[in-house]
Amino acid sequence: MESVIEAANLQKTFDGIKAVDGVSFRVLRGECFGILGPNGAGKTSTIRMIYGFSPMTGGSLDVFGLDIRTDWRTIRSKIGVCQQDNNLDPELTVMENLFVFARYFDVRREDALDRARRYLAFMALDHRRESQVLELSGGMLRRLMIVRALINEPDLLILDEPTTGLDPQSRHQVWERLEELRSRGLSILLTTHYMDEASRLCDRLIIMDHGRILVEGNPADLIREHAGKEIIEIPNPRHEIRELVRKTMPDYEDLGHRLVIYLDEREKSFQEIRSYLRAEGCIMRMATLEDVFLRLTGRDLRE
Amino acid sequence: MTAGRNIFHYVSRRLWRVWQRNWTVYRKNWKISFLPPLLEPLLYLLAFGVGLSALVGTVRYGEKDISYIEFIAPALIAVNIMYNAFFETTYASYVRMYYQKTFDAMMATPLSLEEIIIGEIVWGATKAVIATLIMMAVISGFGLISYPGGFVIIPLAVLGGLAFGAIGMTFTAIVKGIDLFNLPIFLFITPMFLFGGTFFPLEALPSWARNPAFLFPLTHLVNSVREFAGGAPGPLSMWGVLYLVAFTLVFLPLSVLKMRRRLIH
């Protein structure tokens, strides 16, 4: 399968701190690839190197088979980037924003007009063409950022936390549109804090922490491998419960005020412990990517 | 990716895309943008030319006596070139860089940082030229510019605009916050405005104050504009132009280097 991005031992050092510390991964054409990690894990540093914003400290990085260090202009002309900040031009209207941006890519005005109309309609913004950017809601701004990232008809779309700060309706709308883009064959690279977003959109993902990759795989495999099938959470466990779990459960975490038990349906004790614990007013649910994430990156706050 | 390379290696015609972006925004607000360069010289001419002239009478300039209004009118053009370029690449560029993150957005496109910064400085020079054209029209209405020599003021506005745009951008690259522009304005712009040979001939100053005034780029811009407006360009203009070219050649690359350090991590 053809790679869109090939990063090998990628490194980035800021003022002696290793923000990205030897990261290697490939993004294949047509897939949606996610980079997950807590704040400061090195996600944004990694994607900034990919679109040639930050010079890399070490390693190698090819995008579309071209070296980012020498062919950054060609690479950037074929990438659409939706950065974390909504850095639209506040003095301009929606259409003017798109025209100005299209000019940076030398897109002809007729083409820009055609694309702007199509992608605004696609992102459900066609009724706001002549609006001032300052009049738009947070969800609309985010969608406009995605339209702007598509104005050069990129081969790779890079999204840095595309739905942070959006309400659930807006998030679902953005997800639907991104799924549609992926189904048309667009390669997508995404960073996110939302595990449901990553589970839904990503074919494959990596979880990073402290500048390194902890795991790589598709969301379902990662869940099965690192969190099992089902999870039981026991709030404020009594002493006897804690003892029972300690004796019978091979895989659990004790958070003090809460026990988290990772269950695999193949386990012999599965059925019996389940019926026993259910009576204790505890929560039973499917394992999610969030469980994988918290297990691998820990529960300490990152500030 | 750009470290250690000659800045002009990364500059292509795409810098006009940055210029065009600012032009697009400017055209939207042109009615407001037009007013200050139109009204300000009128106010100054009224205050100094009419009000102060009565007290001052004539000024000994070069070999001859000229009316005070004739003396300060070209200086007002030079001051406006300085203000327009400097304020564009300080406050306005800072807002685009820091608050609107316009440069960040541009750096995800085929534009280089060098094109963005130089495009901004060229835009600052453009605003200086626009203001100059408006002021020249007003001042010519009073018969205070002699032509065709006066047309040279337009390329002087380009040069002065680049010089003040470049030093403004250098400050933008190093200030910690937008309020700190008060410092270069207080220490650099205002002294030039007052002591750059604008409102009185430098000969009126004692030598310890006169000689430092020749370090000011505004002094040279005032000299050049005044000589061409008066129709008698001499060595002062030649030195003035050379000084401004040298000033630009220092501060334009310096602003790009400082901006690289600020923005590229």
Side-chain angles (χ1 to χ4, degrees):
Chain A
M1 202 79 187
E2 195 188 348
S3 314
V4 180
I5 301 171
E6 278 204 58
N9 194 26
L10 193 57
Q11 291 163 41
K12 180 72 199 178
T13 308
F14 295 111
D15 308 321
I17 296 161
K18 286 182 174 169
V20 178
D21 188 9
V23 162
S24 304
F25 62 90
R26 290 174 73 193
V27 177
L28 304 177
R29 184 168 296 283
E31 79 173 338
C32 178
F33 189 89
I35 303 181
L36 279 56
N39 285 332
K43 306 184 297 292
T44 298
S45 299
T46 302
I47 66 166
R48 281 183 167 197
M49 286 189 274
I50 292 168
Y51 67 85
F53 186 102
S54 306
M56 47 205 263
T57 311
S60 75
L61 178 57
D62 286 1
V63 185
F64 310 123
L66 301 167
D67 188 335
I68 190 70
R69 281 169 297 196
T70 50
D71 294 317
W72 57 274
R73 239 199 252 271
T74 316
I75 291 169
R76 279 195 201 168
S77 70
K78 300 202 281 179
I79 289 182
V81 183
C82 176
Q83 288 158 327
Q84 248 174 59
D85 296 303
N86 289 330
N87 46 27
L88 296 151
D89 273 318
E91 293 128 316
L92 300 177
T93 65
V94 168
M95 279 303 253
E96 287 166 338
N97 259 283
L98 298 174
F99 281 139
V100 165
F101 214 72
R103 276 201 307 239
Y104 300 154
F105 292 91
D106 284 339
V107 176
R108 289 186 316 166
R109 198 178 165 86
E110 314 85 87
D111 295 341
L113 180 68
D114 173 55
R115 291 177 195 180
R117 286 201 176 128
R118 268 192 291 128
Y119 291 120
L120 285 174
F122 177 70
M123 279 289 172
L125 281 170
D126 42 351
H127 60 300
R128 300 312 292 261
R129 267 187 225 166
E130 301 310 320
S131 299
Q132 295 295 317
V133 161
L134 290 174
E135 300 162 4
L136 301 184
S137 70
M140 289 179 178
L141 288 172
R142 221 52 207 147
R143 271 140 58 203
L144 180 55
M145 283 290 289
I146 295 172
V147 173
R148 196 180 72 171
L150 293 169
I151 203 77
N152 59 321
E153 306 223 297
D155 294 335
L156 169 66
L157 181 62
I158 296 180
L159 303 157
D160 196 357
E161 298 186 15
T163 63
T164 298
L166 299 189
D167 63 24
Q169 285 81 0
S170 299
R171 291 176 69 201
H172 280 270
Q173 191 179 22
V174 168
W175 290 346
E176 265 174 36
R177 301 291 87 184
L178 293 177
E179 282 171 332
E180 170 68 24
L181 288 170
R182 190 187 55 176
S183 73
R184 294 182 193 176
L186 182 63
S187 313
I188 299 175
L189 176 68
L190 169 95
T191 76
T192 182
H193 283 306
Y194 298 120
M195 299 304 131
D196 46 349
E197 180 165 297
S199 301
R200 178 163 169 181
L201 295 176
C202 296
D203 300 303
R204 287 190 310 129
L205 58 87
I206 53 177
I207 297 180
M208 288 182 72
D209 202 9
H210 305 297
R212 292 174 167 277
I213 295 177
L214 301 177
V215 286
E216 171 173 353
N218 80 44
D221 289 346
L222 288 174
I223 294 168
R224 204 173 317 119
E225 198 175 320
H226 296 278
K229 171 89 176 154
E230 289 186 21
I231 286 187
I232 298 175
E233 290 191 43
I234 309 169
N236 306 312
R238 288 183 291 124
H239 179 71
E240 308 88 89
I241 297 278
R242 185 172 263 133
E243 280 303 300
L244 177 77
V245 167
R246 191 174 62 81
K247 287 199 189 100
T248 57
M249 290 288 106
D251 196 8
Y252 74 99
E253 277 185 284
D254 189 344
L255 309 176
H257 60 287
R258 181 179 288 261
L259 289 176
V260 180
I261 305 167
Y262 301 95
L263 286 178
D264 192 319
E265 59 195 331
R266 286 163 299 187
E267 273 165 43
K268 285 192 290 292
S269 51
F270 178 75
Q271 288 303 334
E272 88 191 68
I273 196 82
R274 199 161 84 154
S275 52
Y276 178 79
L277 288 175
R278 193 175 274 166
E280 289 292 319
C282 53
I283 304 152
M284 180 153 195
R285 57 178 176 77
M286 299 279 287
T288 66
L289 197 55
E290 190 131 345
D291 299 307
V292 179
F293 186 86
L294 288 172
R295 279 202 103 176
L296 293 173
T297 61
R299 290 170 191 268
D300 298 332
L301 284 179
R302 308 298 175 91
E303 278 156 347
Chain B
M1 129 201 101
T2 52
R5 285 277 205 145
N6 175 350
I7 61 164
F8 296 106
H9 179 78
Y10 296 103
V11 178
S12 72
R13 60 178 174 79
R14 286 180 195 266
L15 78 87
W16 292 106
R17 299 301 187 198
V18 179
W19 185 93
Q20 275 182 313
R21 182 257 163 220
N22 291 334
W23 174 243
T24 301
V25 175
Y26 177 82
R27 270 189 328 195
K28 290 200 76 169
N29 309 321
W30 71 272
K31 282 174 198 142
I32 303 157
S33 321
F34 247 63
L35 282 178
L38 192 69
L39 293 179
E40 238 184 66
L42 282 172
L43 290 176
Y44 273 102
L45 284 177
L46 192 71
F48 292 97
V50 182
L52 206 59
S53 259
L55 289 174
V56 178
T58 59
V59 177
R60 187 82 189 154
Y61 177 68
E63 298 300 307
K64 54 181 183 174
D65 290 320
I66 59 174
S67 72
Y68 188 60
I69 191 164
E70 229 176 311
F71 180 77
I72 65 150
L76 293 177
I77 295 178
V79 164
N80 242 288
I81 292 169
M82 170 174 82
Y83 278 162
N84 272 279
F86 188 82
F87 282 93
E88 187 61 30
T89 59
T90 51
Y91 288 103
S93 290
Y94 193 87
V95 166
R96 288 192 281 274
M97 171 185 78
Y98 186 81
Y99 294 101
Q100 299 181 3
K101 313 253 184 242
T102 311
F103 298 179
D104 286 1
M106 288 174 173
M107 280 199 277
T109 76
L111 295 167
S112 69
L113 176 78
E114 291 73 12
E115 286 154 358
I116 296 168
I117 300 309
I118 297 174
E120 289 275 305
I121 293 171
V122 172
W123 171 248
T126 306
K127 285 201 69 177
V129 171
I130 294 170
T132 300
L133 291 173
I134 298 167
M135 284 188 72
M136 280 174 72
V138 174
I139 290 172
S140 301
F142 293 87
L144 296 170
I145 299 176
S146 85
Y147 288 99
F151 286 119
V152 178
I153 296 171
I154 297 165
L156 286 174
V158 175
L159 178 58
L162 290 174
F164 286 107
I167 194 166
M169 189 55 85
T170 309
F171 286 122
T172 298
I174 58 179
V175 290
K176 291 239 158 59
I178 197 164
D179 292 332
L180 290 175
F181 284 128
N182 288 334
L183 219 58
I185 288 167
F186 173 67
L187 296 174
F188 178 67
I189 297 294
T190 305
M192 282 197 285
F193 172 70
L194 294 172
F195 300 103
T198 40
F199 296 106
F200 52 85
L202 285 174
E203 287 73 31
L205 291 173
S207 59
W208 60 265
R210 186 167 62 228
N211 293 335
F214 280 96
L215 290 175
F216 294 154
L218 183 65
T219 308
H220 296 280
L221 188 60
V222 167
N223 283 339
S224 309
V225 174
R226 189 175 278 144
E227 286 198 342
F228 278 100
L236 273 183
S237 300
M238 195 190 73
W239 286 117
V241 167
L242 283 176
Y243 184 92
L244 291 169
V245 168
F247 193 87
T248 306
L249 289 178
V250 170
F251 282 99
L252 195 129
L254 184 66
S255 70
V256 172
L257 290 176
K258 291 285 176 191
M259 271 296 177
R260 266 190 202 163
R261 198 161 300 167
R262 177 171 193 137
L263 295 179
I264 294 185
H265 301 292

